[in-house]
Amino acid sequence: AEYKHQTAVIHLKTIEQLQEEVEQAISQLGVRVKEQVDLEAWMRKQLPSDAQNEGARRARAFLKSLQAGWDDLQDQVGQTIQTTMETFHRFSAEESHSVYVESIDLYYSSPLTEAGVILVDTPGADSLNARHTGVAFEYIKNADAILFVTYYNHAFTQADRMFLEQLSGVKDQFSL
């Protein structure tokens, strides 16, 4: 009742969360982190182009997305933004903005939601950040139903398989 139809409440990551994620990504690139990373400096840094493995490629893509959105979002880090579906789309679908998102609450009126159904889209199984998988499992533990969604043109990966195997351990009935 507090929010009208198609309202999005976007919670952006804090500077501390971004700092931690950047440090994780830098370590995936093979760069040793001895002290706290200067976030502002890394947003301007030329990234190595020779990613040796899948983890390094994902880390590089993550850092490039952060860099692409930094000028637009650096002043909004840690804030909560109430907005429209148009801005929601930008924060949910454009990597340069979505990498800054902690969570989004989308208020959408439909027969399902009016009946009390809450739909949760959790982070993907192949996320760079291990915390994302933890978030997904926290929701899954309390879910009444789970729908595993993947892109039609996305190959079923080792990460997908491992995620589903872990999922069967969380919900005993899934192992059947």
Side-chain angles (χ1 to χ4, degrees), residues 64-81:
K64 285 200 70 67
S65 294
L66 274 178
Q67 288 176 333
W70 181 251
D71 288 337
D72 286 347
L73 297 172
Q74 66 181 342
D75 295 333
Q76 296 177 7
V77 168
Q79 294 182 15
T80 296
I81 305 163

Side-chain angles (χ1 to χ4, degrees), residues 62-150:
F62 169 76
L63 290 169
K64 285 200 70 67
S65 294
L66 274 178
Q67 288 176 333
W70 181 251
D71 288 337
D72 286 347
L73 297 172
Q74 66 181 342
D75 295 333
Q76 296 177 7
V77 168
Q79 294 182 15
T80 296
I81 305 163
Q82 184 174 325
T83 189
T84 63
M85 287 293 286
E86 184 178 308
T87 304
F88 160 76
H89 183 267
R90 187 167 201 194
F91 278 92
S92 63
E94 294 178 22
E95 283 295 317
S96 64
H97 283 61
S98 66
V99 293
Y100 286 89
V101 172
E102 167 69 20
S103 66
I104 300 175
D105 299 320
L106 178 62
Y107 297 90
Y108 196 91
S109 183
S110 74
L112 270 179
T113 59
E114 288 178 16
V117 173
I118 298 172
L119 302 172
V120 179
D121 181 11
T122 63
D126 62 347
S127 174
L128 172 68
N129 191 326
R131 182 181 62 81
H132 291 170
T133 304
V135 167
F137 278 108
E138 278 306 308
Y139 278 103
I140 288 167
K141 284 195 300 193
N142 299 309
D144 294 321
I146 297 166
L147 178 64
F148 181 79
V149 178
T150 189

